Amino acid sequence: MTSDGGKAGAQRVMGRPRVTSRAALERLAFELFARQGFDATTVDDIAAAAGIGRRTFFRYFSSKNDLVWGDFEDQLRRLRKLLDETDPGVPMMDAIRRAVVEFNRFDPRDVPWHRQRMELILGVPTLQADATLRYASWRAVVTEFVAGRTGLPPSAMVPRLAGSVVLAAAVAAYEHWLSSEPETDLSELLDEAIRQVGAGLTAVLDDAGA
C-alpha cells in the first residue's frame, strides 16, 4: 500500500522501518500494548510508531479492537474447513475435539504473540463486548457442524448446547493456560477440556436419539 501523501519522510518513525503489512502492524501494536496498556494506546500511537497515517491504519484494520483479533474471519473459515473435512466415520465429539485442537496449534515462535493476544481478549474489560460477538460466530461454526451431523436444525437444543459447551471448554482451557507456566501445552489442555465435556454431550445425544 502507498503511504499517506506519498512522502518519504514517513519511512522511519522511532527508529523503525515503515510498516507495510497487516502482520507487522499487529506485532508493533502488541509491543505498544505491552508497554503502555491496551486502553492507554491509541490508534494514533500505533500509526505513528508504524510510520503511517491514520487512514492507512484503517485500511488494515477497522478499529483497535479489530487489530487484537487478527484475521478472525479467515480463522473461522479454517475451523469450518477442518470440521467439514473430518471423516464421517469419526464420532462427532472426537471430530470436534480434533478440529479445535488443530485449529489452536501454533508454531512455537508464534506462541508468545498468541499468548499476549489471548491475555488481551480474555483480560481487558473494554474488549469483552467485542469478544461476545466474535465468540458467537465461533460457536455458530460448531453448532452448524453438529446440526449437519445429527440432522437437526441449528436452532434445536442439542446443536446449540454443543456449540455453547465446546466454546466454554475452549475458553476454560485458555484461561488455565494463561495462568500456567509458559511451557504448558495448550493443545493438551484443549484436548482434555473437550474430552470432559464430550462425554456428557455424547450422553445427551444418545438420549435424544441423534
Side-chain angles (χ1 to χ4, degrees):
M1 293 186 179
T2 58
S3 62
D4 298 343
K7 294 184 179 180
Q11 289 182 347
R12 276 187 180 273
V13 175
M14 296 174 62
R16 294 176 177 273
R18 180 177 174 276
V19 169
T20 56
S21 76
R22 183 184 177 100
L25 183 58
E26 185 179 309
R27 293 293 178 88
L28 175 57
F30 278 19
E31 290 177 10
L32 292 176
F33 297 153
R35 289 202 303 269
Q36 302 174 185
F38 177 80
D39 291 330
T41 303
T42 66
V43 168
D44 286 335
D45 291 336
I46 299 168
I52 60 176
R54 281 176 60 88
R55 285 185 300 172
T56 299
F57 175 92
F58 289 118
R59 291 174 194 158
Y60 290 111
F61 299 100
S62 62
S63 67
K64 186 175 70 169
N65 286 11
D66 186 47
L67 179 149
V68 173
W69 286 87
D71 203 339
F72 186 70
E73 292 304 319
D74 268 0
Q75 290 303 309
L76 282 185
R77 284 190 284 272
R78 177 170 170 259
L79 177 58
R80 187 175 287 108
K81 185 171 185 288
L82 285 168
L83 289 167
D84 289 345
E85 291 178 348
T86 302
D87 186 329
V90 174
M92 187 182 71
M93 288 309 302
D94 287 344
I96 292 171
R97 176 175 51 80
R98 293 174 190 177
V100 172
V101 169
E102 182 59 33
F103 175 71
N104 287 281
R105 199 181 302 281
F106 300 93
D107 186 301
R109 294 170 297 181
D110 294 329
V111 168
W113 292 106
H114 185 60
R115 193 179 186 96
Q116 186 181 357
R117 183 194 306 281
M118 295 309 298
E119 285 172 343
L120 290 169
I121 289 171
L122 295 175
V124 176
T126 50
L127 283 169
Q128 296 313 297
D130 197 38
T132 298
L133 295 174
R134 307 274 184 163
Y135 284 147
S137 298
W138 191 100
R139 185 174 62 240
V141 173
V142 176
T143 298
E144 289 162 9
F145 175 75
V146 173
R149 276 292 192 98
T150 60
L152 297 168
S155 59
M157 174 62 78
V158 168
R160 281 179 166 172
L161 178 63
S164 295
V165 172
V166 172
L167 173 61
V171 171
Y174 262 102
E175 289 175 339
H176 190 68
W177 181 59
L178 293 176
S179 66
S180 302
E181 295 299 321
E183 63 271 16
T184 302
D185 192 314
L186 173 61
S187 295
E188 291 182 2
L189 294 177
L190 286 164
D191 187 273
E192 178 186 354
I194 298 175
R195 279 184 190 276
Q196 293 287 342
V197 301
L201 279 173
T202 298
V204 170
L205 290 166
D206 288 345
D207 289 343

